Each structure stands twice: as C-alpha cells, then as structure tokens.
Amino acid sequence: MTVPFLQATGITKRFGALTALRDVDLEINCGEVLALLGDNGAGKSTFIKILAGAHPQSDGELSVEGQPVTFSSPKDAAGCGIATIFQELALSENLSISENVFLGRELKRSVLGVPFLRRKAMRERVDGLLRELDAHISDPEATVGSLSGGQRQAVAICRALNLNAKLVIMDEPTAALAVAETRKVLQLTRRLAERGCAVVLISHNIADVFEVADRMVVFRRGRKVTERRKEATTPEEIVSLITGAHPDVRALEQNKP
Ligand SMILES: Nc1ncnc2c1ncn2[C@@H]1O[C@H](COP(=O)(O)OP(=O)(O)OP(=O)(O)O)[C@@H](O)[C@H]1O
Ligand SMILES: [Mg+2]
C-alpha cells in the first residue's frame, strides 16, 4: 500500500450558518490527474482553498505523505509542496516569463556585498521547464502581456514546477480558452502527472475531464457523492451524478437530506 500524497478526512467547512462542505474524505495520489466535478456552489473551490491553506477547515484533518498537517496560510501549504493555480492566474503582465516564474524567489549572487540577479541562470531554468512541458514558447524574455491565454497557463504551471510542487491544483484552467489552447493546457496537465506530480483539476467541461483525468470525484451540495475511475464510468453517468438524477445520489440524499 502506498501512502497517498494528500489525505483529507472528514473535511467540513462552515461559513456562519451555511455549511459549504460536509464530511469530505478524499485521497490525492502522485502521478494522477483527479478531477473535481459538481454544479455551481457544490463546494469545489472551497475544498481546494482548504488544501491551498487559504481557508481553515471547520472540522476534519489533512495529512501530507502520511503526516498530519495544519495550514494557517498559503505559505504553509506551499511548504508542503502544494501549488494552486487560481483562475485569475496572478501573473504580472509587464514582466517577462522568467521574471514571473521566479517572482519573489529570484536567484541572486553577491559581488562585494552587492546583490545581482542571476538572469542567465533564471532564463535557462525557465527555458528548460518550457521545453520539458513542450509549451512552444521560444523566448522566456517575452512579456507575459504578449502571450495568449493558454501560454499564460503554461507560465503559471512553470511557476508551480519551479516551486518544486508535488501537488498542482488548477481551478478551471481552460474556462476562458479557445479549442486549440484548451488542447494544449490539457496536454500540459497530463505531462505534470507523467512527471510524477499529483494534479487536481476543477472543470465544468465533461469532455475535457474525460480526456485527461484518471479519477473523478463528484461534489453536490457540499458533499462528496461519489468517485469513479475513468474506465469505470461514462460522461452520461457523471452528468447524472452531478445533477442528482443518478439513483445513488437519490438514495444518499434520502438518507441524509
Ligand atoms: N467566503 C465565503 N463566505 C461565505 N460563503 C461562501 C464563501 N465561499 C463560498 N461560500 C459558499 O459556499 C458554497 C460553495 O461555494 P464554492 O465556491 O466552493 O462552490 P463551487 O463548487 O466552487 O462552485 P462554482 O462551480 O460556481 O465555482 C456556496 O454556497 C458559496 O456561496
Ligand atoms: Mg468554484
């Protein structure tokens, strides 16, 4: 038995009187793309914000590589190798690709006590990452403002890899992208998993999910209703689980309204 990279047990999140998540158990494994699915308001973003250290859970435990962890801030989660790419991406348009990838953790050397940026080393590292991801971006010195939506996703993924992330969480990375760009980002997602990363992908696009995910987890009204391996389900079944038409969901909701 291998230990999952991350294990969530009984995760509950209350916002005042509203319970956004109720008793969620989930395992996240290295080398696997896990999709989180569910209708608007099902609790997907709340769940990943807990994994990212952006919200504390009201109840329940997280462990990373078998060790219990408590995240008081995104920094704590990052320290455990968890990188989250939010939909807004938070890249600086005026800076170059390599400056964005190294933002806040620039490589420096000191000459007679005066710090200098190691621009060449940073550029080479970013060039290597872009090549490894097969991102088709030739110049790490280009400004992010000149890139397409899909290329920006690639830069955000590079930044996560540069932090040595072991778990990369992506909240709707393809929502604003055209067809060809979406293909590229989905390929990048697969490549992250092949590199040994654990990947969590939130998407409303069932076709995208079936293209890249190994396992799918469906949230509904704050509960995890079920999970399925891709080969054991169909897009039709997943849709019925999301909408609540599936008999399993009906049974669950009759027992626990
Ligand atoms: N900071 C907050 N304060 C109060 N309620 C919140 C907060 N964040 C989320 N919620 C509530 O928690 C529930 C789950 O929201 P969440 O954003 O996790 O849904 P989601 O599954 O990500 O939906 P979507 O697909 O629309 O992004 C919703 O009812 C939402 O209104
Ligand atoms: Mg959301």
Side-chain angles (χ1 to χ4, degrees), residues 216-219 223-228 241 248-249 252:
M216 303 170 198
V217 171
V218 179
F219 281 56
R223 280 203 179 88
K224 176 179 135 181
V225 290
T226 192
E227 61 176 73
R228 294 274 195 276
L241 288 163
D248 288 4
V249 181
L252 183 79

Side-chain angles (χ1 to χ4, degrees), residues 12-203:
T12 295
K13 177 67 184 175
R14 287 180 283 270
F15 294 108
L18 181 133
T19 303
L21 286 174
R22 218 181 275 265
D23 208 16
V24 174
D25 294 340
L26 190 63
E27 286 181 2
I28 300 172
N29 302 307
C30 294
E32 183 185 57
V33 178
L34 175 70
L36 296 191
L37 295 136
D39 244 331
N40 296 118
K44 307 177 298 293
S45 294
T46 303
F47 185 72
I48 63 148
K49 282 177 186 163
I50 290 169
L51 303 187
H55 281 328
Q57 67 267 37
S58 311
D59 235 316
E61 284 89 46
L62 295 177
S63 64
V64 170
E65 292 174 328
Q67 301 300 314
V69 290
T70 308
F71 297 154
S72 317
S73 70
K75 228 180 170 157
D76 291 346
C80 286
I82 300 173
T84 306
I85 303 175
F86 293 103
Q87 203 171 345
E88 314 77 54
L89 291 183
L91 298 173
S92 301
E93 302 227 344
N94 303 327
L95 299 181
S96 73
I97 295 169
S98 32
E99 285 166 328
N100 267 284
V101 170
F102 277 94
L103 198 63
R105 49 200 316 273
E106 289 82 2
L107 302 179
K108 291 181 187 140
R109 73 189 142 101
S110 176
V111 178
L112 301 172
V114 181
F116 283 91
L117 290 178
R118 296 176 57 205
R119 289 187 189 283
K120 185 155 173 280
M122 290 193 278
R123 199 168 53 231
E124 282 170 5
R125 164 89 176 140
V126 172
D127 205 35
L129 286 171
L130 290 170
R131 221 181 283 271
E132 196 177 331
L133 288 170
D134 196 18
H136 292 281
I137 299 176
S138 51
D139 182 12
E141 293 302 289
T143 60
V144 162
S146 68
L147 300 180
S148 71
Q151 289 173 323
R152 287 173 199 222
Q153 283 289 342
V155 174
I157 292 170
C158 274
R159 188 156 72 177
L161 287 180
N162 196 42
L163 293 166
N164 290 322
K166 293 182 191 158
L167 165 60
V168 178
I169 302 172
M170 306 166 90
D171 197 347
E172 306 215 30
T174 58
L177 302 183
V179 178
E181 299 246 279
T182 297
R183 293 271 82 70
K184 192 81 227 173
V185 171
L186 294 177
Q187 281 167 19
L188 292 178
T189 308
R190 269 298 349 144
R191 204 148 299 185
L192 278 176
E194 280 156 19
R195 233 172 160 272
C197 272
V199 183
V200 171
L201 174 74
I202 295 182
S203 176

